[in-house]
């Protein structure tokens, strides 16, 4: 972490906790959030729980995000959700280009750029996800792949008037229990910071770069101690408020030190 940027710990619930279980989880997150005043805590429920979770978190510091957004503001797109709808439900952030969207729903770099612009048009702060597959890593193509994914969103990020984040989530580390080592994560984060800086130095200083992929309470401190790791995008462990709280507390102690 770097004192210039406030740490951001986000819990992506994926396709879990979409009802009352989501509200209960949000209540537990709300409880620990007051003990981490130097950390931004964000929850990312499925669409069905966003409104109830946002209502539960009203008056607290916990932020709420959507997991995806459509590129158009409205229209005949059965099953899709627009940025305006996310705002109406109480979300102020949104994830775009998660690897599960790229992999299972064939989202391309161009789609991700359109979604990012749509998010900003609706006053949503985006978390743009990038990351290589195991095959790409083993072929030595990590930086090439991530650079291409970052390049696709660079112009939109540079035009943003709101807080933005980039999440580096190596696909091979997601849900596998095999996190990137702090040094491997830092190498990619530093490269991302460099590409942002080549576009605009202010942008590079502002944008928080999160690491995601098997972040747990016991590996978070090591990852967050790296100078270009500004936070974490947590999947599985975020479904347990105790675990997300421990990760947020690791960030809080680093931010205080
Ligand atoms: P896990 O923490 O379960 O590996 O998921 C990471 C992720 O995809 C967060 O968006």
């Amino acid at each position: 972490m770097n004192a210039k940027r406030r740490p951001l710990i986000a819990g992506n619930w994926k396709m879990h906790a979409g009802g009352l279980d989501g509200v209960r989880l949000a209540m537990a997150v709300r409880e620990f959030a007051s003990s981490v005043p130097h950390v931004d805590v964000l929850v990312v429920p499925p669409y069905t729980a966003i409104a109830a979770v946002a209502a539960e978190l009203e008056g607290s510091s916990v932020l709420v995000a959507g997991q995806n957004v459509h590129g158009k503001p409205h229209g005949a797109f059965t099953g899709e959700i627009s940025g305006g709808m996310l705002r109406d439900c109480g979300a102020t952030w949104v994830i775009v280009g998660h690897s599960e969207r790229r992999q299972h729903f064939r989202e391309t770099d161009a789609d991700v750029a359109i979604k990012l612009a749509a998010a900003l048009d609706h006053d949503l702060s985006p978390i743009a996800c990038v990351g290589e597959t195991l095959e790409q890593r083993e072929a030595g193509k990590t930086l090439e792949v991530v650079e291409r994914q970052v390049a696709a969103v660079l112009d939109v990020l540079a035009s943003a008037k709101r807080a933005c984040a980039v999440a580096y989530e190596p696909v091979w580390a997601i849900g596998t229990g095999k996190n990137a080592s702090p040094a491997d994560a830092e190498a990619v984060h530093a490269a991302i910071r460099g590409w942002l800086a080549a576009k605009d130095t202010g942008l590079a200083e502002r944008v928080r770069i999160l690491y995601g992929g098997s972040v747990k309470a016991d590996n978070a401190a090591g990852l967050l101690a790296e100078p270009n790791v500004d936070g974490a995008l947590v999947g599985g462990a975020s479904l347990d408020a105790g675990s997300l709280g421990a990760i947020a507390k690791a960030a809080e102690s680093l931010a205080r030190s």
Side-chain angles (χ1 to χ4, degrees), residues 12 14 95 98 100 169 173-176 212-216 233-237:
N12 177 9
K14 307 192 179 183
I95 294 176
H98 191 279
E100 287 151 16
E169 297 205 306
I174 295 178
T176 58
S214 297
V215 177
K216 311 275 178 228
L233 181 52
V234 185

Side-chain angles (χ1 to χ4, degrees), residues 11-13 25 214-217 234-245 247:
N12 177 9
W13 298 356
L25 183 52
S214 297
V215 177
K216 311 275 178 228
V234 185
S238 74
L239 295 172
D240 172 49
S243 295
L244 191 73
I247 295 165

